[in-house]
Amino acid sequence: MPTMIFTNARVFDGVNADCADGMGVLVADGLIQEVSRQPLRAADALVIDVAGKTLMPGMIDAHIHAFASDVSVATIERLGETYRAAHAVRMLQHALNCGFTTVRDVGGGNYSLHRAITDKMFEGPRFFYSGKALSMTGGHGDFRQIEERPNYQALCACSGGVFNALCVVADGVDECLKAVREELRQGAHCIKIMGSGGVASPTDPIWMNQYREDEIRAIVGECVERRTYVSAHCHPASAIRRCVEFGVRTIEHGTLIDAQTAAFVAERDAYIVPTMITIEQLVKMGRKLGFPPQSQEKMDIAWNGAIAGLDEMRKAAVKVCFGTDLLGSLYDQQCREFVLRSEVFTPLEILRQATSVSAEMMMLENKLGCIKPGAHADLLVVDGDPLKDIGLLAESGKHLKVIVRGGELIKHQLA
């Protein structure tokens, strides 16, 4: 990978509102080596004159499902793993071209896909994954229809049995521990549980709390021993509070949060990853795309409280991360998440969500989502000032003149 020097840059470092002008950044061996106002030099370096444009960290989408190739889980299963893999490549290439140099897959992502990106079989973002999400029987990850009878032989074969490409069902402390250990054995960077009812699942109410306290605490304890963390899918305030109380680090969605629960999350220094765009798009497009009717009804409930939930998070100063959760053909709406968040948050707050806050949540502070010596050289050059106009990031990479991931030039449109 080449040594690069960015000159004449206006640097947003992932945190500070005051962006220094006329800065230089030296990149070598995939890392940021130096950030300075003084002239930088290195032998055989590629010099990129940013011409006063904004140089910022590569962004993080902290909630994706690379193998979710359709809005219907039944269709995802029916079309098979080859179709899912092809969708993942398409989706991840799009994400990288939008400036997302890192993604976190919280349901279905695996070592095979991670290895394909690492081995450069295609150009994709840094790929972190939780493996298959853990669900209790009848929980959000159990996508069997109400009329389906249980296959007890399959259920007894392992920790609950895998019902789909995205989740594994596990009940009781022993099964949960075995399922966690299995996902960690396969390289999972964190563990995700289904802490409440959900939209896409056919049999559980969205308001339902899921998993017992002893199960959640056992899962959290196992992850602590592995020096990682637990993420929990939660919509209602009751599920959010109990999961955080039991040691969960980050809440996915958090859609129906209230003021008291938001204050509790902030007090416990936990994180929330709202996913506004998938809710909006499924409300608009779900019926046309074949989203099941019972799921569409629950989606309408989630959408009615979504913006108010964001406002409660902001007022309580919750650590909010950036996520999208898009399914199937909706993947190309990823950047519209910036527009929806701008109804509540300032551009600076959204930029932090997509960079430094998400990196901190993932235990990668000072490595991702920042511009400082020692960090990975994941960089974007934006033609304009996203701190004033967040819409510059909402057009699928149109205003990105340079994309660098790990010190490699992915896109270069500057003279």
Side-chain angles (χ1 to χ4, degrees), residues 82 85 111 119 188-189 246 278 281 306 336 355-356 367 380 385:
T82 303
Y111 175 75
D119 289 351
H189 298 96
F246 301 158
T278 194
Q281 289 298 304
R336 185 166 158 73
T355 56
S356 57
K367 292 297 182 184
L380 309 175
D385 184 358

Side-chain angles (χ1 to χ4, degrees), residues 79-351:
L79 291 177
E81 62 182 352
T82 303
Y83 191 89
R84 292 194 292 270
H87 169 76
V89 172
R90 176 180 64 172
M91 177 185 186
L92 293 172
Q93 287 178 332
H94 174 80
L96 183 58
N97 289 329
C98 289
F100 293 99
T101 53
T102 297
V103 296
R104 185 182 67 135
D105 188 312
V106 283
N110 57 29
Y111 175 75
S112 181
L113 183 54
H114 177 271
R115 181 64 181 269
I117 296 170
T118 302
D119 289 351
K120 299 181 181 178
M121 298 184 76
F122 68 97
E123 290 285 4
R126 295 178 187 278
F127 186 75
F128 295 86
Y129 60 97
S130 66
K132 294 184 186 298
L134 274 61
S135 170
M136 68 182 207
T137 297
H140 178 51
D142 185 344
F143 291 102
R144 292 173 298 172
Q145 297 297 319
I146 193 169
E147 65 273 13
E148 289 185 57
R149 301 290 296 169
N151 181 341
Y152 287 107
Q153 184 175 3
L155 287 172
C156 295
C158 63
S159 295
V162 176
F163 285 104
N164 56 72
L166 309 181
C167 305
V168 61
V169 171
D171 296 299
V173 169
D174 289 344
E175 279 192 5
C176 287
L177 288 178
K178 185 173 182 181
V180 168
R181 290 168 181 169
E182 181 58 35
E183 297 306 324
L184 293 173
R185 182 193 70 80
Q186 295 180 65
H189 298 96
C190 63
I191 293 295
K192 180 183 174 188
I193 66 171
M194 299 306 191
S196 85
V199 170
S201 42
T203 63
D204 59 333
I206 195 171
W207 46 258
M208 179 185 179
N209 297 334
Q210 296 183 3
Y211 272 130
R212 300 191 313 249
E213 178 178 352
D214 60 340
E215 294 168 317
I216 296 175
R217 289 193 184 276
I219 292 166
V220 168
E222 196 68 19
C223 288
V224 169
E225 293 302 323
R226 193 64 176 245
R227 299 182 183 177
T228 186
Y229 64 92
V230 177
S231 154
H233 159 102
C234 295
H235 284 292
S238 57
I240 296 167
R241 183 181 179 96
R242 69 193 294 270
C243 281
V244 170
E245 182 179 351
F246 301 158
V248 167
R249 180 176 178 85
T250 180
I251 299 297
E252 310 302 314
H253 314 301
T255 316
L256 304 177
I257 198 169
D258 57 25
Q260 184 179 12
T261 305
F264 180 77
V265 172
E267 175 191 325
R268 291 298 183 97
D269 212 28
Y271 301 80
I272 299 182
V273 189
T275 55
M276 301 295 293
I277 184 58
T278 194
I279 303 173
E280 183 212 52
Q281 289 298 304
L282 286 172
V283 166
K284 288 183 176 180
M285 302 293 294
R287 290 178 176 85
K288 179 180 178 181
L289 295 174
F291 203 48
Q294 66 267 43
S295 295
Q296 195 71 47
E297 292 176 12
K298 292 192 283 184
M299 184 60 74
D300 292 338
I301 295 172
W303 180 239
N304 288 336
I307 294 294
L310 280 190
D311 193 47
E312 297 296 353
M313 295 175 207
R314 185 175 192 265
K315 288 189 290 189
V318 171
K319 292 181 178 179
V320 174
C321 304
F322 191 97
T324 56
D325 192 28
L326 289 162
L327 309 176
S329 61
L330 299 175
Y331 75 94
D332 62 358
Q333 297 298 306
Q334 186 175 28
C335 291
R336 185 166 158 73
E337 181 77 22
F338 290 105
V339 176
L340 296 177
R341 290 181 183 231
S342 67
E343 295 185 33
V344 174
F345 296 107
T346 67
L348 175 61
E349 289 169 332
I350 299 170
L351 285 169

